[in-house]
């Protein structure tokens, strides 16, 4: 296992550290495609109401960026590939903009201000891949826009970042030292660990598992396009949000408990059956991101640790839904047990075993994400904080189905490529998804 670094906080690395294989591939691709670069900006936006101590918040942001090296890491190309370099800890990382000097910002104008923040491209080779902007929009009303590039941050990491920002804000205002002096796991540590794992004997059974799972794989399953696909991947997108009816959400939870499977398994099976129906094939493959935080020291790490793997299921039409559900649950469990080997290593291994000509153009075209690890809203002492919805208008796949189960119900979102699909098509997909879920839970009653 890679050892944890002991660098003095706030200093720059003099040596270049390794990137992960996936980071190297994505970074190289983004250099040539600004649209792809923009699509991987990850935003988190909060409306703040109350007396915000902007000086304390600015100091808290600096402390968080100092604490997590990924937030100040740049990517440098060299003869041995792409390397990571950590920049010195900043001062003044929080940019404050006051919009109260003239007429109040209209909702449309505020949307334009936020969109400008979220869509501005990062110079990944020369500037910090994180931005923090505080917009003052009223006497005691603000909008905080946090934008971090996906190369150095995943969904789990956003939760860590927001928790640390709230803790640092409280500590600064109290004149205390935040975080108790404890150092978190760092992105560079994870990159070294993953590269060592991939080249070690421990990777062999992991690669053998995925080779068996993906042998003879067909082209990734998807919903038929509304218009011809371009010869290259595009990233224009939009999002459709919807909730399951209360009774249906409750039935999904009850069915999962009765069958001793997770809600993720039930909602994934519904998505697989939906794709079977639209694609007219029984061999269905979906990309499923996993948190990939198997090692305890990664739990407090801010970085891009997520690993996406292909969950493949055979769905014969005459097989009982109960049997299909348990097969999907097993496939998810197996994916989690074998999640540590990166997808790019799996793909390279597949080429070595089966030949590039025997692999489809895409291992998967759609993604399914069940968000069981909740990201709590930002909490600033003495300030009311509320997440502000925002559509990035970008899509990293044909379709991504996001599912958020919680005690209040099940919220869903379809992110889709607008170069391929019309909004009306996605509305029909969402309606059919609800119907397939109803069919599953009703069938399981008998």
């Amino acid at each position: 296992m890679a050892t944890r670094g002991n660098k003095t906080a706030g200093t720059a690395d003099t040596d270049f550290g390794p990137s992960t294989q996936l980071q190297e591939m994505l970074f190289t691709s983004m250099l040539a495609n600004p649209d792809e670069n923009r699509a991987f900006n990850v935003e988190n936006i909060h409306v703040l109401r109350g007396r915000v101590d902007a000086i304390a918040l600015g100091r808290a942001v600096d402390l968080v960026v100092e604490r997590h090296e990924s937030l100040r890491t740049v990517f440098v190309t060299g003869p041995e590939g792409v390397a990571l370099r950590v920049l010195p800890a900043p001062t003044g990382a929080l940019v404050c903009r006051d919009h109260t000097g003239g007429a109040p910002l209209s909702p449309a104008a505020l949307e334009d201000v936020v969109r400008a923040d979220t869509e501005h491209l990062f110079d990944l080779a020369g500037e910090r891949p994180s931005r923090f902007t505080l917009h003052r929009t009223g006497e005691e009303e603000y909008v905080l826009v946090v934008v971090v590039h996906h190369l150095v941050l995943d969904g789990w990491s956003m939760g860590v970042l927001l928790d640390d920002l709230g803790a640092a804000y409280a500590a600064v205002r109290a004149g205390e030292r935040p975080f108790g002096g404890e150092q978190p796991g760092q992105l560079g540590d994870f990159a070294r660990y993953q590269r060592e794992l991939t080249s070690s004997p421990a990777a062999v059974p992991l690669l053998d598992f995925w080779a068996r799972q993906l042998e003879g794989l067909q082209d990734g399953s998807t919903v038929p396009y509304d218009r011809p696909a371009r010869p290259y991947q595009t990233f224009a997108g939009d999002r459709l949000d919807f909730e399951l009816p209360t009774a249906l959400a409750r039935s999904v939870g009850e069915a999962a408990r009765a069958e001793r499977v997770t809600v993720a398994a039930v909602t994934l099976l519904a998505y697989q059956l939906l794709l079977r129906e639209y694609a007219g094939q029984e061999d269905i493959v979906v990309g499923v991101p996993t948190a990939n935080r198997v090692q305890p020291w990664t739990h407090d790490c801010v970085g891009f640790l997520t690993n996406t793997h292909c969950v493949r299921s055979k769905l014969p039409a005459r097989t009982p839904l109960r049997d299909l559900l348990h097969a999907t649950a097993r496939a998810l469990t197996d994916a989690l047990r074998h999640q540590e080997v990166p997808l790019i290593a799996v793909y390279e291994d597949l080429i070595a075993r089966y030949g590039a000509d025997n692999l489809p153009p895409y291992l998967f075209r759609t993604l399914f994400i069940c968000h069981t690890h909740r990201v709590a809203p930002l909490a600033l002492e003495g300030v009311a904080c509320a997440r502000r919805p925002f559509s990035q208008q970008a899509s990293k796949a044909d379709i991504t189905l996001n599912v958020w189960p919680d005690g209040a119900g099940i919220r869903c979102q379809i992110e889709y490529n607008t170069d391929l699909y019309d909004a009306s098509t996605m509305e029909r997909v969402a309606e059919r998804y609800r119907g397939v879920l109803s069919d599953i839970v009703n069938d399981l009653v008998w």
Side-chain angles (χ1 to χ4, degrees):
M1 172 180 168
T3 58
R4 303 279 292 280
N6 293 313
K7 297 180 294 296
T8 302
T11 62
D13 281 345
T14 54
D15 299 322
F16 295 129
S19 61
T20 66
Q21 291 173 294
L22 184 56
Q23 283 176 321
E24 182 169 357
M25 181 191 72
L26 288 174
F27 175 70
T28 303
S29 176
M30 289 173 192
L31 288 179
N33 190 339
D35 285 339
E36 182 176 3
N37 193 343
R38 179 181 63 83
F40 280 80
N41 281 4
V42 180
E43 80 285 344
N44 191 282
I45 303 160
H46 276 79
V47 174
L48 313 179
R49 291 184 173 89
R51 294 185 177 276
V52 175
D53 185 339
I55 294 177
L57 184 58
R59 177 57 182 151
V61 168
D62 288 346
L63 288 168
V64 170
V65 177
E66 178 182 338
R67 175 173 170 79
H68 297 287
E69 294 177 354
S70 58
L71 301 176
R72 48 192 173 94
T73 290
V74 296
F75 294 76
V76 181
T77 55
E80 297 184 358
V82 177
L84 306 180
R85 181 169 183 266
V86 181
L87 299 178
T91 56
L94 177 68
V95 176
C96 297
R97 303 192 187 281
D98 194 335
H99 302 276
T100 62
L105 281 180
S106 67
L110 179 58
E111 183 74 10
D112 289 342
V113 166
V114 170
R115 188 166 299 282
D117 282 346
T118 61
E119 293 188 350
H120 183 72
L121 295 181
F122 288 101
D123 174 10
L124 295 169
E127 68 171 330
R128 292 191 310 272
S130 57
R131 284 195 302 271
F132 301 79
T133 309
L134 181 67
H135 297 278
R136 187 183 182 207
T137 57
E139 184 64 28
E140 291 190 356
E141 184 166 310
Y142 303 78
V143 176
L144 177 65
V145 182
V146 179
V147 187
V148 186
H149 201 278
H150 205 2
L151 276 174
V152 298
L153 178 133
D154 53 24
W156 182 302
S157 298
M158 184 61 81
V160 176
L161 188 160
L162 295 178
D163 286 347
D164 282 357
L165 184 57
Y169 180 76
V172 169
R173 297 189 73 211
E176 299 173 352
R177 182 184 182 187
F179 316 126
E182 296 180 359
Q183 291 299 311
Q186 301 293 348
L187 177 60
D189 298 329
F190 177 77
R192 283 185 286 273
Y193 169 79
Q194 189 178 74
R195 285 188 177 271
E196 290 172 7
L197 170 69
T198 304
S199 61
S200 74
V204 174
L206 302 176
L207 293 170
D208 286 346
F209 168 81
W210 289 113
R212 292 192 301 270
Q213 290 295 109
L214 303 179
E215 183 177 7
L217 185 68
Q218 302 178 38
D219 198 5
S221 316
T222 192
V223 173
Y225 302 149
D226 289 324
R227 58 190 63 88
R230 299 181 185 182
Y232 52 88
Q233 185 179 4
T234 67
F235 296 88
D238 206 347
R239 299 170 183 175
L240 172 66
D241 292 286
F242 63 98
E243 290 191 13
L244 299 185
T246 302
L248 177 56
R250 183 171 57 251
S251 295
V252 168
E254 292 171 350
R257 287 190 293 274
E259 296 297 323
R260 296 187 177 184
V261 299
T262 62
V263 169
V266 180
T267 51
L268 173 57
L269 174 62
Y271 188 48
Q272 292 171 322
L273 293 174
L274 178 84
L275 290 172
R276 182 183 73 176
E277 184 176 307
Y278 274 104
Q281 62 190 55
E282 296 180 344
D283 187 356
I284 300 296
V285 61
V286 175
V288 177
T290 58
N292 202 22
R293 294 179 184 254
V294 177
Q295 303 299 321
W297 60 266
T298 63
H299 293 178
D300 57 0
C301 177
V302 169
F304 180 38
L305 278 59
T306 295
N307 200 6
T308 300
H309 277 301
C310 303
V311 174
R312 183 185 189 186
S313 296
K314 303 292 181 65
L315 305 170
R318 295 187 178 182
T319 302
L321 287 178
R322 178 172 279 107
D323 293 347
L324 294 180
L325 174 59
H326 287 278
T328 293
R330 287 193 297 273
L332 272 178
T333 300
D334 287 343
L336 290 172
R337 288 173 175 168
H338 299 85
Q339 66 180 297
E340 283 198 277
V341 62
L343 179 63
I344 184 65
V346 171
Y347 185 68
E348 292 171 348
D349 182 66
L350 293 175
I351 292 175
R353 292 178 191 244
Y354 306 130
D357 292 342
N358 294 317
L359 295 177
Y362 294 94
L363 296 183
F364 57 84
R365 293 178 182 268
T366 70
L367 294 166
F368 171 85
I369 308 174
C370 187
H371 299 264
T372 53
H373 181 79
R374 302 289 293 176
V375 175
L378 175 66
L380 296 180
E381 186 178 58
V383 179
C385 305
R387 279 287 302 273
R388 184 183 188 276
F390 179 79
S391 177
Q392 190 188 37
Q393 297 183 341
S395 180
K396 304 174 191 67
D398 288 6
I399 297 171
T400 301
L401 175 62
N402 291 279
V403 176
W404 289 272
D406 59 33
I410 298 178
R411 182 167 60 90
C412 305
Q413 180 190 81
I414 297 175
E415 180 182 280
Y416 62 97
N417 187 305
T418 51
D419 287 330
L420 302 176
Y421 299 109
D422 296 327
S424 57
T425 298
M426 291 301 103
E427 289 169 0
R428 290 193 296 272
V429 168
E431 184 60 33
R432 186 63 195 125
Y433 181 69
R434 287 188 286 259
V436 174
L437 268 175
S438 295
D439 293 342
I440 292 174
V441 297
N442 290 335
D443 184 89
L444 292 174
V445 171
W446 306 100

